Amino acid sequence: DTAVSQTPKYLVTQMGNDKSIKCEQNLGHDTMYWYKQDSKKFLKIMFSYNNKELIINETVPNRFSPKSPDKAHLNLHINSLELGDSAVYFCASSQIKGTEAFFGQGTRLTVV
Amino acid sequence: AQSVAQPEDQVNVAEGNPLTVKCTYSVSGNPYLFWYVQYPNRGLQFLLKYITGDNLVKGSYGFEAEFNKSQTSFHLKKPSALVSDSALYFCAVRDVGNTPLVFGKGTRLSVIA
């Protein structure tokens, strides 16, 4: 059983397209996150959702829109993709404060 | 705002020798500290955490970390390195409340046979 699963694992698309990445967790956690890992391996928080509500939205272009249909799912939709969006996107979840986050395997997005 | 510094981009160690990967942190209150490992083309795997209690915490795969409040450090250690420990290691911190983890830039560990 995969705790945090993301699909797809790889995504290659052309500039200007719109794409979505899906994330699901079966841990019963109430908080989910999206992180971006760039080519230098820096990990940066993008969004944080708690019980389906957005609680943190870092300085991310509004082309990125997270959607949480329920607390087990947090999807990431990206409009008008740009070359600079190429990165690995990680979904994660956690329970109460102070506990570790569990990460998905990542989605490698390549914009050509 | 909380932050983490990993001063070394790369650490090289011979197999069988002890290893240390350094981390210092900055938070406004009591820190919650974590270490994660990332193998090539994989997600982040949790190794260990410090929340409260003993300053020496033990984690997965024989790793341990020492919390030092006066030096604001949380260095990762292992008594005897294995080639299979070669990977990218991240230190992370979160403040009180349900805040996301803030990661350091990562340290690449290379264990040479």
Side-chain angles (χ1 to χ4, degrees), chain A residues 17-71:
Chain A
N17 284 352
D18 303 339
K19 290 293 179 185
S20 292
I21 305 172
K22 295 185 176 182
C23 178
E24 176 183 4
Q25 55 96 1
N26 63 5
L27 299 167
H29 290 166
D30 52 19
T31 305
M32 296 185 72
Y33 314 89
W34 278 108
Y35 282 84
K36 178 180 180 180
Q37 185 174 44
D38 64 20
S39 59
K40 294 184 178 180
K41 305 298 185 183
F42 294 158
L43 278 159
K44 186 175 180 183
I45 183 70
M46 299 175 69
F47 300 103
S48 176
Y49 265 74
N50 190 14
N51 281 323
K52 303 193 303 176
E53 290 190 19
L54 179 66
I55 56 173
I56 289 177
N57 180 354
E58 293 295 324
T59 51
V60 176
N62 57 14
R63 297 182 295 103
F64 290 78
S65 55
K67 286 186 171 51
S68 181
D70 56 63
K71 74 173 193 176

Side-chain angles (χ1 to χ4, degrees), chain A residues 31 35 37 98-101, chain B residues 36 38 49 51 94 98 100-101:
Chain A
T31 305
Y35 282 84
Q37 185 174 44
T99 65
E100 64 273 26
Chain B
Y36 283 80
Q38 184 178 25
K49 65 182 175 184
I51 304 298
R94 73 191 302 181
N98 206 4
L101 296 176

Side-chain angles (χ1 to χ4, degrees), chain B residues 19 37 39 61 63 78 80-89 109-111:
Chain B
L19 69 87
V37 60
Y39 296 99
Y61 313 120
F63 284 94
K78 188 173 182 181
S80 178
L82 300 173
V83 172
S84 57
D85 292 331
S86 298
L88 187 58
Y89 289 81
L109 173 67
S110 180
V111 181

